Amino acid sequence: MTGGIAAYKTCEIVSRLVKLGADVWVVMTREAAELVTPLTFRTLSGNPVITNLFDPGLSSLPVLHIAIADKADLILIAPCTANMIGKITGGIADDALTTIVMASKAPKIIAPAMNPNMWENQIVKENVEKLKKLNFKFIGPCEGMLACGVEDIGRMAEPEEIIEKIVGLLGVKQDLKGKQVLVTAGGTTEAIDPVRYISNRSSGKMGYAIAEAARERGAEVTLITAPTNLSVPLDVKVVRVESAAEMLDAVLQNYSKADVVIMAAAVGDYTVNTATSSPTTYDLRLTTKIKKSNKKLMLKLSPTEDILRTLARRKDRKGKIHVGFALETENLIKNAKQKLKEKELDMIVANGPETFGSDNIQFSIVKRSGEAVKYNKITKEKAAQIIISKIVGR
Ligand SMILES: Cc1cc2nc3c(=O)[nH]c(=O)nc-3n(C[C@H](O)[C@H](O)[C@H](O)COP(=O)(O)O)c2cc1C
């Protein structure tokens, strides 16, 4: 725990974890202990509270920080101040909490809570990105009424959500161990000339979340990604592509070893064939930029090759699981079922266009048997876990 006003909410987290059977050890910074008393947490957890590495009262543990760091199956920092995020990112270990965090190999969850200006501070943003890349899991902050009297982003996530995340992480089954999962993500781009392209609104968030969920369950994951602004999940092999043709090539190159193929990418249905601004027809293989003029520019598009349909015809298709995505603006389930049949898929995830760019998704999973299950709006991370569970058949 660090010195954030949300520290009072941590009482509930500790109390609920204890009820779930966890052995909870509370480590507080000096500032946290100014806001809530260590005695409260000693009483709730049933264990001594660590505020000082050199506390003579804890001498029963020979090297306190190593003993606690080794003991932990998971470390949660809730609330986590801007200061603590900065200290961890900077590799500082100058108190009990930072030293234990540095000495532990356990998964770490950070629940930030701070004033919105602090959260939006570029230094904090960069620190958070860096920690995410190092596989620190973040939960929140959320929007709501803050202690500083404004309604904005910065509230610590609710204890319930934090508990759910902890249980999810500790309870993750390694049921994809030894399996190869191929995931595609992002929206492909088709060049018009060296500087312009056509593309779609896909953010890649769903595919990245699926890659991460599969990896968390023990799979070896290859992520073939069209351009996105996302940082790639740790321990995932990444292949970067731009066009639909490049994506097809990359998929074919990685297909034979795959056990599961999940095509979450929004692959362009058309590629640019020629661009004509009478009387000039541009050869798109050239590297010249099309000149701006006030004449109409006609683009001739030709269809791209459908990746899943191509895969369905492969000799080594047998035994592999193919999962597709269907984005439809109308007759969602009917169209998804038709795609599932045409592309010989095992499962299809159907969703509407509101999903593009959003952190959330409302979707249906349609299986080859015709069974269709609808899910209300949830985060893409949660959706990814559900999709993986459905694939594994749990
Ligand atoms: C009443 C009070 C509430 C605070 N709440 C927060 C907070 O919610 N988030 C935050 O980042 N800092 C908050 N601070 C500032 C931190 O306590 C301060 O940056 C401190 O150095 C953090 O130390 P620590 O990270 O070692 O706990 C608060 C300070 C006070 C006095």
Side-chain angles (χ1 to χ4, degrees):
M1 295 176 61
T2 66
I5 200 73
Y8 73 94
K9 286 197 201 168
T10 310
C11 299
E12 195 183 336
I13 300 175
V14 172
S15 144
R16 289 176 67 168
L17 284 172
V18 170
K19 280 193 195 125
L20 285 170
D23 181 18
V24 183
W25 287 71
V26 178
V27 182
M28 297 170 94
T29 62
R30 201 185 54 209
E31 285 70 16
E34 289 284 333
L35 294 164
V36 275
T37 71
L39 182 60
T40 309
F41 290 94
R42 188 190 175 96
T43 313
L44 290 172
S45 70
N47 283 319
V49 172
I50 300 154
T51 49
N52 173 6
L53 277 183
F54 302 94
D55 186 347
L58 291 165
S59 56
S60 60
L61 296 166
V63 187
L64 180 69
H65 62 284
I66 303 296
I68 296 290
D70 285 348
K71 205 176 161 58
D73 296 303
L74 183 141
I75 295 181
L76 164 74
I77 310 178
C80 190
T81 54
N83 173 59
M84 184 53 65
I85 290 174
K87 278 168 90 169
I88 299 173
T89 313
I92 293 171
D94 68 350
D95 62 6
L97 178 45
T98 48
T99 308
I100 289 166
V101 167
M102 191 173 290
S104 174
K105 288 191 165 171
K108 296 168 193 84
I109 303 179
I110 291 185
M114 63 196 72
N115 162 280
N117 291 344
M118 287 171 102
W119 179 247
E120 275 149 26
N121 182 301
Q122 197 53 33
I123 300 172
V124 176
K125 275 190 183 168
E126 284 173 20
N127 288 341
V128 169
E129 277 317 303
K130 196 165 168 196
L131 290 182
K132 280 186 180 168
K133 281 190 187 141
L134 295 170
N135 218 14
F136 282 73
K137 311 270 175 217
F138 278 78
I139 179 158
C142 313
E143 284 188 9
M145 185 50 85
L146 302 173
C148 48
V150 291
E151 181 118 8
D152 207 332
I153 186 145
R155 262 175 85 89
M156 186 170 92
E158 291 306 316
E160 208 168 290
E161 256 185 277
I162 294 175
I163 301 279
E164 209 176 291
K165 182 110 180 166
I166 293 174
V167 172
L169 262 182
L170 288 180
V172 174
K173 284 201 180 158
Q174 295 294 290
D175 43 11
L176 282 174
K177 201 148 196 92
K179 299 283 180 209
Q180 297 274 348
V181 176
L182 182 61
V183 183
T184 66
T188 58
T189 60
E190 302 300 325
I192 296 172
D193 70 8
V195 294
R196 304 181 180 96
Y197 62 81
I198 53 171
S199 187
N200 56 65
R201 295 184 194 280
S202 171
S203 65
K205 285 179 185 167
M206 193 66 243
Y208 277 54
I210 289 176
E212 192 160 1
R215 194 220 54 223
E216 274 173 3
R217 283 164 79 152
E220 269 184 54
V221 180
T222 303
L223 173 67
I224 300 176
T225 176
T228 69
N229 291 323
L230 307 172
S231 43
V232 290
L234 209 73
D235 290 337
V236 163
K237 181 186 159 199
V238 177
V239 182
R240 294 184 192 279
V241 298
E242 290 189 358
S243 66
E246 284 172 14
M247 185 161 274
L248 173 66
D249 269 358
V251 169
L252 293 178
Q253 270 177 36
N254 287 280
Y255 182 74
S256 58
K257 63 173 190 309
D259 299 293
V260 180
V261 179
I262 308 170
M263 288 282 303
V267 181
D269 294 325
Y270 296 95
T271 185
V272 187
N273 206 355
T274 55
T276 310
S277 182
S278 181
T280 316
T281 294
Y282 291 89
D283 182 342
L284 298 177
R285 286 163 305 178
L286 292 182
T287 48
T288 16
K289 182 183 161 200
I290 298 170
K291 283 269 163 281
K292 181 182 172 184
S293 84
N294 44 20
K295 283 193 199 140
K296 277 187 180 162
L297 177 75
M298 309 286 285
L299 294 179
K300 196 166 170 190
L301 307 179
S302 47
T304 56
E305 187 172 337
D306 189 287
I307 301 179
L308 280 168
R309 208 168 272 164
T310 304
L311 294 182
R313 294 194 297 260
R314 291 262 305 208
K315 281 203 193 79
D316 50 354
R317 155 72 172 111
K318 209 162 175 258
K320 296 186 194 292
I321 298 173
H322 284 192
V323 179
F325 271 71
L327 186 134
E328 302 287 346
T329 46
E330 59 214 357
N331 299 327
L332 188 61
I333 300 298
K334 190 170 160 238
N335 287 333
K337 281 187 172 167
Q338 196 175 331
K339 268 191 188 164
L340 180 123
K341 210 168 151 202
E342 277 172 19
K343 301 185 186 190
E344 298 176 34
L345 303 176
D346 299 282
M347 201 173 103
I348 195 159
V349 182
N351 59 271
E354 71 286 347
T355 306
F356 269 154
S358 166
D359 288 334
N360 301 306
I361 180 169
Q362 183 178 342
F363 63 108
S364 293
I365 291 183
V366 185
K367 286 190 164 182
R368 194 183 275 200
S369 60
E371 171 200 330
V373 184
K374 194 172 169 199
Y375 296 88
N376 288 331
K377 199 161 143 189
I378 50 173
T379 64
K380 287 184 174 170
E381 283 76 22
K382 269 197 188 150
Q385 282 158 11
I386 292 173
I387 292 164
I388 296 291
S389 294
K390 282 277 175 190
I391 293 170
V392 179
R394 286 200 304 146

